[in-house]
Amino acid sequence: MFPNSFEYMAPTTLAEAVELMQRHEYDAKVLSGGQSLLPMMKLRMAAPPILIDINSIDELRGWKEESGFLRIGALTRHSELENAVELRDRYPLLAETAVWIADPLVRNRGTIGGSLAHADPASDWGAAMLALHARVEGIGSGGERQIPMDDFFVDTFTTALEETEIATAVLVPKPAGRTAGRYLKIERKAGDFAIAGLAIHVVLASDGTVAEAGFGICACGPVPLRGKRAEEYLLGKKLTPETIDDVSRMVPEDADPEDDLRGSAAYKRDVLRVFAERGLSDIAKELQGEGVVG
Amino acid sequence: MAKSQTELRPLGKSVGRKEDPRFIRGMGRYIDDIVLPGMLYMSLVRSPYAHARIKHVDPSAALEAPGVKLVITGEDLAAMDLAWMPTMAGDKQMVLATGKVLYQYQEVAAVIAESREQAEDAAQLVDVEYEPLPAVVDPIQSLDPDAPVLREDREKKSNHIFHWEAGDKEATEELFRNAPVVVKQNVRFPRVHPSPLEPCGCVADYQSSTGKLTWYVTSQAPHAHRTVLSMVSGLPEHQIRVISPDVGGGFGNKVPVYPGYVCAIVASLKLGRPVKWIESRTENISSTGFARDYHMTAEIAAEEDGRVLALRVKTIADHGAFDAAADPSKFPAGLFSIVTGSYDFKESFVEVDGAYTNKAPGGIAYRCSFRVTEAAYLIERVMDVLARRVGVDPAELRKRDFIRKEQFPYQSPTGWTYDSGDYEKTLDLALEKIGYEELRKEQAEKRARGELMGIGISTFTEVVGAGPSHTFDIMGIKMFDSAQIRLHPTGKVLARLGVRHQGQGHETTFAQIIAEELGLSTEDVLIEEGDTDTAPYGLGTYASRSTPTAGGAAALCGRRIRDKAKKIASHLLEAGEDDVVWDGVSFSAKGLPDKSVTMKDIAFAAYTNVPEGMEPGLEATYYYDPPNLTFPHGAYIAVVDIDKGTGAVKVRRFLAVDDCGNVINPMIVDGQVHGGLTEGFAIAFMQDIPFDEDGNCLAPNWMDYLVPTALDTPHWETDRTVTPSPHHPIGAKGVGESPNVGSPAAFVNAVVDALAPLGVEHIDMPIFPWKVWEVLREHGVNK
Ligand SMILES: Cc1cc2nc3c(=O)[nH]c(=O)nc-3n(C[C@H](O)[C@H](O)[C@H](O)COP(=O)(O)OP(=O)(O)OC[C@H]3O[C@@H](n4cnc5c(N)ncnc54)[C@H](O)[C@@H]3O)c2cc1C
């Protein structure tokens, strides 16, 4: 239960971190919350010779609204987003999702940047950021760039970030109308990774039709997946029971789950359907008042 | 609320736990807190294969690594005749593999280095070449005559370990032949693991100057371990001191002797320095004593009205690569024959066959008196199957079949003499407290609406407190237990017992027993356990045996002290011994209540002013050989709601009414019940150690072997009835394990009850949401 020996560096500025990453290339790994990297090192599934701890870099902390989007620093802890009351109205999916990640201890350490960079298929943030149509901002030898979520996850534990690139922030678009979000997750026990999870993000236009729709599927594929068919279908429609029923059948079609200790693929697909139906019905109630428009 | 410890007559009161201040503040002293000068660290090399021939083991690269002092291989141990060790079940087990490995994570070599990190790094450098062999994972296939023989060391060329039976076969068959109703159910009790928070570990400290080995080990049975160690190693027993410091949870996992222990001791003997070995979580779950893994089939013969006649049980027990159970030697299947439970079966016949597989060795009792959990689960589950078949409410069926209170002492068809019980009273209290009738009404309404709600009952009986020397021994050592009480001149007491607590609260409850007998307060009594150089001999704490055995010894030892005290009192009171009376707190002369002496006065006199001719001092030792076991019972009721969409089960209520005889400390009993229910809940809903077809362990850590937290755990309601044990010195029975034994059936019965309208009769544990969903889908519920 000890990692292989490694060298440890703790830069205090982003520039310094970028420089160190470039100098050490493949030998270096970013240490953020350590909640995925350190367990893997202790199990000796990962053995990076050098750790570059980014926890002392203030530029990576906190969030602020900029033109067109909310910029969330990569070092933002899961628990900070869970408790960010000021974000609840406009970005409800953030707190909805955060509370489902792991347990309170892990949430106090784990970061949104680390969760995305790790690219675990069961990353709850992965599903939520897909639903929110977010972008990841990274910095490396080529300077700064933004990667849309659709291009970000390449494969299990692999992202579009270069080996020497550091994720600096997540950019969540500002909603263009009344918004609601739900995160639905089933787990074998509290604090477990998802058996299946579904992030739902909806923005209604002033006429009550859906202006933005987002579905992020967790733990049902090699990476977190987008419920593309459901999104396309929902745009411009009203949230009626029939629409909800139709959409909930489409969500599993974009999932690609496997049989494992957490359940069969058929089970996971069906849970996604149930989640879509429940989440959307709830959102309809919230945004349209008690009666779902018939 | 917890009472102060200074109260006199503390028995039966919720005295605050004396051990809590150190545990709550993180000041317990556990095995890994022990640091000795010059201490080295050991790490084990383990097999990645479940079944493979070892072509060669090359330690040379490891020996050259920084800090490495020694590498031990199986061949090295073989040269010392230590490659194999006996298990407590009469089998033998490899310490370090020679020739073959028989399960994944089996111990292959030990590396000892200056630091823990160095030992772990170097362990990766030990070069082992394996030739994989096909693995046998399923115990039923393993018993097939064509299955490859796993244990080449044995004379018997099959994977069959033992056949064991209880009851009268012919008489049972006879009743089955003529029975109007027969129900049959296959029931699996999954392979689970006690998974204590603190894994196993030890520090072996051999001093070549004195020839004495001090062995610190996280042990539930330090005396037994000393004897086994002496027998295995040839070290004289008085030159071995076993110290079991604070134990961070045991639950049966810390009863066996593990290969790592032997390696650490060998290393210390060879190097003359202390050697520490602390397991990782993965090592604990993947290689140390697991529990259960019983494949059972039960049949009940009954009358049309559900009155039971006979019970027939066939079981295959998967022990893994070595039978490393820690059962009393006459009981290879433990006390499984308690399977007739709380019911008045006329006859019963029970068979168990043990099988070897390519899985970690074990079969230990996880918070359970030797297979009582398997038995209680089986009978409680199958009684529900019978209830459904004959169309009788499960509470009513149980009442029809209970052993009545007038029948005690009750002779069971498999040979047990139940000491006492009042099953109907306990169940009635539970039914009333939970509001059974209203719940059934609510359920009927919900069913009409298509909702799934279930109520599950378990009215179990245990057999605990092994045990009487005529029947119970482990490796020949009789299973009595002991207490030694010493009063100091100021009236303070040091008491030592042969058991070793791991969360049961002995420092409080045994102080209460002794204080009660001596007229002192709990505060006045210090309890010490776990050091074989100081404590009297005893077989340890497991199987709910501490109160039935050592607790009895403590009371009787207190009375022995009181006998002498009475003589001193007579001297101090200047009254004839026959005229001296004890009122629970002091002695006085008959008719002269104003003049009295307390135990404190007497203790002082014992060292300053004893009567002419009396031996000074005030201490006693008592070895208590109990006349019988004790038979606690309980009535548990679970209420669950099932989410039809996801298959998730929510435990809405759970009530445990226990009867463990006279209660020493109600708060501690409640605490034991809460903990055991939480484990029972985990077993019912999330715990299992599965293997793939190559014998790879699929849940070797807490990521996949699930342990519930406060966030998962339902709210527990508790209550109790009191039916004292007629033979125990203070009328107490064991209770530490009742909740683990009794609760799984209540949970599963509740889930099956919820699904019963669909025609479901059984569902195997652990009840993951997907299993329920699959049942629902099979029955067309969720499209
Ligand atoms: C018991 C437990 C339960 C968990 N349950 C869940 C769960 O239910 N749902 C869930 O989503 N997650 C869960 N997690 C994972 C947790 O959310 C982690 O915090 C997260 O996956 C990783 O974030 P981190 O900040 O800890 O990253 P780290 O562990 O520090 O790093 C993870 C990886 O990302 C890289 N990395 C980190 N930050 C950056 C960066 N800024 N730029 C480039 N690369 C970077 C690292 O080099 C490393 O490869 C669980 C973890 C534990 C220990």
Side-chain angles (χ1 to χ4, degrees):
Chain A
M1 268 296 119
F2 293 94
N4 291 69
S5 66
F6 57 86
E7 229 181 300
Y8 171 86
M9 305 174 182
T12 52
T13 64
L14 193 52
E16 209 185 324
V18 171
E19 197 273 319
L20 285 172
M21 288 296 282
Q22 262 144 51
R23 187 172 342 139
H24 298 292
E25 288 193 321
Y26 294 100
D27 282 346
K29 269 248 163 232
V30 172
L31 174 68
S32 189
Q35 298 305 296
S36 294
L37 183 55
L38 297 186
M40 289 180 71
M41 288 171 64
K42 285 183 171 188
L43 292 168
R44 301 201 169 193
M45 289 155 62
I50 298 169
L51 284 191
I52 299 182
D53 183 346
I54 58 171
N55 282 275
S56 311
I57 304 176
D58 286 338
E59 298 145 84
L60 299 178
R61 288 179 194 288
W63 54 81
K64 60 173 185 297
E65 279 197 292
E66 295 179 351
S67 61
F69 52 83
L70 173 73
R71 186 174 192 286
I72 305 172
L75 260 181
T76 306
R77 315 276 167 193
H78 309 329
S79 59
E80 292 178 88
L81 292 168
E82 177 185 353
N83 298 315
V85 179
E86 69 272 27
L87 298 179
R88 294 230 172 124
D89 277 349
R90 282 153 71 76
Y91 306 95
L93 189 56
L94 297 177
E96 280 268 333
T97 305
V99 73
W100 275 106
I101 302 173
D103 52 46
L105 286 76
V106 173
R107 294 205 286 275
N108 283 338
R109 294 295 310 162
T111 66
I112 190 166
S115 174
L116 296 174
H118 189 54
D120 191 307
S123 162
D124 294 307
W125 282 134
M129 291 305 129
L130 280 163
L132 290 169
H133 294 265
R135 296 163 159 264
V136 177
E137 182 188 89
I139 184 164
S141 51
E144 255 183 38
R145 63 170 177 146
Q146 291 181 5
I147 310 169
M149 279 314 296
D150 280 316
D151 302 333
F152 186 71
F153 294 124
V154 175
D155 203 343
T156 305
F157 303 140
T158 311
T159 69
L161 288 170
E162 302 288 334
E163 285 289 339
T164 56
E165 231 172 351
I166 298 173
T168 49
V170 191
L171 310 176
V172 177
K174 275 188 200 170
R178 284 196 311 131
T179 179
R182 289 290 182 279
Y183 196 76
L184 298 99
K185 175 172 171 178
I186 184 164
E187 44 194 12
R188 296 171 301 176
K189 60 161 270 191
D192 189 18
F193 285 97
I195 297 171
L198 183 67
I200 310 178
H201 163 71
V202 173
V203 176
L204 289 192
S206 50
D207 67 354
T209 59
V210 173
E212 283 173 34
F215 292 88
I217 298 168
C218 179
C220 287
V223 294
L225 297 168
R226 173 183 304 291
K228 214 178 254 152
R229 283 167 241 229
E231 286 181 3
E232 280 162 13
Y233 181 84
L234 202 54
L235 281 181
K237 296 213 173 53
K238 288 197 170 164
L239 289 174
T240 65
E242 295 73 36
T243 319
I244 292 173
D245 191 54
D246 289 345
V247 170
S248 62
R249 280 166 209 289
M250 290 174 190
V251 170
E253 290 176 25
D254 278 317
D256 185 16
E258 280 181 7
D259 296 345
D260 60 20
L261 288 180
R262 287 181 168 79
S264 66
Y267 171 65
K268 293 173 192 176
R269 281 183 200 278
D270 198 49
V271 164
L272 290 175
R273 175 188 64 80
V274 169
F275 280 172
E277 146 97 44
R278 287 180 185 173
L280 283 171
S281 302
D282 241 28
I283 286 175
K285 248 185 233 166
E286 182 186 324
L287 294 180
Q288 299 170 176
E290 268 313 300
V292 175
V293 181
Chain B
M1 270 292 96
K3 299 239 167 36
S4 81
Q5 292 163 5
T6 53
E7 220 176 306
L8 298 180
R9 308 299 307 267
L11 199 71
K13 294 178 184 156
S14 289
V15 172
R17 288 190 1 138
K18 297 177 73 156
E19 43 272 84
D20 277 349
R22 74 173 189 279
F23 289 145
I24 289 172
R25 288 181 291 173
M27 294 165 82
R29 190 173 156 78
Y30 300 95
I31 191 71
D32 205 8
D33 294 321
I34 290 172
V35 177
L36 302 178
M39 191 167 79
L40 302 171
Y41 296 83
M42 187 179 87
S43 179
L44 291 174
V45 178
R46 293 177 179 275
S47 169
Y49 297 105
H51 195 197
R53 250 178 235 296
I54 299 179
K55 306 293 281 184
H56 79 273
V57 181
D58 178 5
S60 51
L63 279 167
E64 275 161 32
V68 172
K69 295 284 167 203
L70 177 70
V71 176
I72 308 173
T73 66
E75 297 300 336
D76 296 335
L77 290 183
M80 305 167 70
D81 204 18
L82 280 175
W84 292 76
M85 63 177 183
T87 72
M88 294 200 183
D91 194 358
K92 53 181 193 156
Q93 171 172 3
M94 284 191 229
V95 177
L96 293 175
T98 47
K100 254 191 3 166
V101 288
L102 286 162
Y103 62 96
Q104 192 191 29
Y105 294 107
Q106 186 176 339
E107 300 78 1
V108 175
V111 177
I112 295 92
E114 292 283 354
S115 75
R116 210 182 256 192
E117 295 80 356
Q118 287 171 334
E120 214 163 295
D121 282 349
Q124 292 190 312
L125 302 175
V126 175
D127 183 27
V128 188
E129 194 189 327
Y130 298 95
E131 180 188 303
L133 299 168
V136 180
V137 177
D138 181 69
I140 292 145
Q141 285 170 12
S142 140
L143 290 180
D144 190 297
D146 294 335
V149 175
L150 304 181
R151 289 284 300 274
E152 291 165 353
D153 59 294
R154 290 172 85 234
E155 246 163 61
K156 189 164 151 187
K157 293 300 168 220
S158 94
N159 298 322
H160 185 254
I161 312 174
F162 62 83
H163 174 81
W164 174 87
E165 51 186 57
D168 186 331
K169 182 172 188 182
E170 217 9 76
T172 303
E173 300 295 323
E174 182 63 29
L175 285 175
F176 266 91
R177 269 194 289 275
N178 302 315
V181 177
V182 172
V183 295
K184 178 174 180 176
Q185 183 63 53
N186 293 330
V187 175
R188 167 99 204 281
F189 207 125
R191 175 177 278 237
V192 294
H193 196 282
S195 213
L197 266 183
E198 179 201 38
C200 298
C202 72
V203 180
D205 181 19
Y206 179 70
Q207 298 280 330
S208 54
S209 55
T210 59
K212 182 143 186 169
L213 171 72
T214 306
W215 186 39
Y216 304 85
V217 60
T218 173
S219 167
Q220 295 175 236
H223 298 274
H225 284 169
R226 186 190 66 200
T227 304
V228 172
L229 186 56
S230 171
M231 287 174 357
V232 172
S233 68
L235 288 172
E237 196 167 2
H238 65 290
Q239 289 285 52
I240 302 173
R241 178 182 188 182
V242 179
I243 299 178
S244 175
D246 284 334
V247 179
F251 312 109
N253 186 240
K254 292 169 180 175
V255 176
V257 171
Y258 294 116
Y261 295 166
V262 178
C263 293
I265 291 167
V266 168
S268 183
L269 287 169
K270 284 200 160 197
L271 297 167
R273 286 172 68 175
V275 174
K276 179 186 268 190
W277 172 63
I278 304 289
E279 257 177 6
S280 69
R281 179 65 52 201
T282 296
E283 291 180 291
N284 181 253
I285 298 177
S286 67
S287 74
T288 66
F290 72 90
R292 330 279 195 243
D293 215 345
Y294 258 31
H295 299 249
M296 309 177 279
T297 302
E299 291 169 278
I300 294 179
E303 305 282 9
E304 312 261 12
D305 64 358
R307 268 170 229 275
V308 295
L309 298 167
L311 174 70
R312 193 157 59 187
V313 176
K314 258 179 142 11
T315 292
I316 290 177
D318 185 345
H319 281 271
F322 311 101
D323 183 356
D327 290 325
S329 45
K330 296 194 187 81
F331 298 86
L335 314 186
F336 185 65
S337 60
I338 192 71
V339 67
T340 54
S342 308
Y343 312 105
D344 194 8
F345 284 93
K346 308 295 168 238
E347 296 295 344
S348 172
F349 184 62
V350 184
E351 293 172 278
V352 181
D353 287 281
Y356 291 120
T357 55
N358 287 121
K359 292 190 260 180
I364 55 107
Y366 165 16
R367 204 171 186 151
C368 156
S369 181
F370 313 116
R371 305 292 189 185
V372 171
T373 309
E374 291 88 325
Y377 174 60
L378 183 66
I379 187 63
E380 289 306 315
R381 186 71 276 288
V382 185
M383 284 302 278
D384 259 34
V385 175
L386 175 65
R388 208 133 273 138
R389 188 70 56 81
V390 295
V392 177
D393 178 272
E396 168 57 26
L397 180 93
R398 283 172 165 79
K399 287 189 185 187
R400 280 184 199 172
D401 285 315
F402 275 155
I403 299 159
R404 327 240 139 250
K405 73 168 190 255
E406 318 78 70
Q407 286 176 274
F408 291 93
Y410 170 81
Q411 203 61 43
S412 92
T414 53
W416 301 107
T417 307
Y418 292 22
D419 59 346
S420 64
D422 189 344
Y423 301 152
E424 193 153 353
K425 181 164 138 197
T426 310
L427 177 56
D428 279 338
L429 177 63
L431 294 173
E432 189 204 307
K433 243 198 124 150
I434 199 107
Y436 188 67
E437 277 175 33
E438 296 86 273
L439 285 169
R440 284 287 177 209
K441 265 185 224 143
E442 181 193 339
Q443 183 186 40
E445 286 160 18
K446 292 213 155 129
R447 278 187 180 166
R449 293 200 298 268
E451 290 170 39
L452 301 175
M453 166 189 167
I455 305 162
I457 300 176
S458 166
T459 49
F460 62 96
T461 290
E462 284 184 275
V463 48
V464 310
S469 61
H470 51 75
T471 314
F472 294 97
D473 69 85
I474 287 184
M475 300 180 97
I477 301 161
K478 305 292 187 187
M479 296 183 75
F480 48 75
D481 225 291
S482 61
Q484 189 179 71
I485 300 177
R486 179 182 301 170
L487 272 80
H488 300 319
T490 55
K492 302 297 175 189
V493 179
L494 172 63
R496 289 167 166 150
L497 299 98
V499 287
R500 202 320 157 218
H501 66 90
Q502 329 112 41
Q504 293 85 348
H506 292 182
E507 290 175 34
T508 311
T509 50
F510 290 161
Q512 285 177 268
I513 294 175
I514 291 166
E516 180 77 18
E517 295 294 341
L518 300 182
L520 298 170
S521 81
T522 313
E523 183 86 324
D524 296 326
V525 184
L526 177 70
I527 300 290
E528 278 186 8
E529 299 175 350
D531 182 340
T532 58
D533 264 11
T534 59
Y537 202 92
L539 278 212
T541 294
Y542 44 84
S544 292
R545 68 185 295 280
S546 297
T547 293
T549 60
L556 295 175
C557 192
R559 289 173 204 172
R560 189 169 272 174
I561 295 262
R562 220 166 60 209
D563 288 345
K564 180 170 181 182
K566 193 174 182 190
K567 292 194 170 66
I568 299 174
S570 129
H571 167 67
L572 296 177
L573 293 165
E574 295 173 342
E577 208 187 317
D578 291 345
D579 290 331
V580 171
V581 290
W582 170 251
D583 67 1
V585 183
S586 58
F587 289 105
S588 56
K590 248 182 226 159
L592 290 170
D594 290 350
K595 200 173 157 216
S596 66
V597 287
T598 63
M599 199 56 77
K600 195 175 165 192
D601 305 326
I602 289 164
F604 195 67
Y607 295 90
T608 58
N609 174 21
V610 287
E612 189 71 32
M614 181 187 275
E615 183 186 345
L618 194 55
E619 62 180 83
T621 304
Y622 202 106
Y623 277 78
Y624 177 61
D625 184 5
N628 189 7
L629 297 125
T630 69
F631 294 74
H633 64 275
Y636 291 0
I637 304 182
V639 184
V640 305
D641 298 298
I642 293 180
D643 179 337
K644 283 208 275 191
T646 61
V649 178
K650 172 143 181 56
V651 178
R652 190 204 309 176
R653 284 184 71 189
F654 194 99
L655 169 67
V657 179
D658 275 286
D659 192 323
C660 58
N662 287 334
V663 171
I664 300 161
N665 183 322
M667 178 191 73
I668 287 183
V669 168
D670 281 346
Q672 292 289 300
V673 172
H674 282 215
L677 292 176
T678 304
E679 288 178 328
F681 166 75
I683 290 167
F685 292 109
M686 57 181 80
Q687 294 186 332
D688 184 16
I689 307 185
F691 293 80
D692 70 13
E693 58 194 19
D694 297 323
N696 294 309
C697 175
L698 300 180
N701 52 50
W702 277 350
M703 208 72 225
D704 286 310
Y705 189 74
L706 305 174
V707 178
T709 64
L711 295 171
D712 302 275
T713 306
H715 174 72
W716 308 122
E717 302 168 51
T718 57
D719 206 335
R720 66 180 65 86
T721 55
V722 175
T723 314
S725 168
H727 63 78
H728 186 269
I730 58 167
K733 301 181 178 184
V735 73
E737 300 168 337
S738 306
N740 190 323
V741 170
S743 65
F747 292 116
V748 178
N749 286 346
V751 172
V752 174
D753 184 57
L755 301 173
L758 309 173
V760 175
E761 289 202 329
H762 179 68
I763 182 165
D764 268 329
M765 300 188 288
I767 305 177
F768 285 120
W770 60 264
K771 271 199 200 169
V772 176
W773 178 88
E774 264 164 23
V775 170
L776 292 172
R777 175 143 292 201
E778 269 165 39
H779 293 84
V781 172
N782 47 10
K783 291 161 255 183

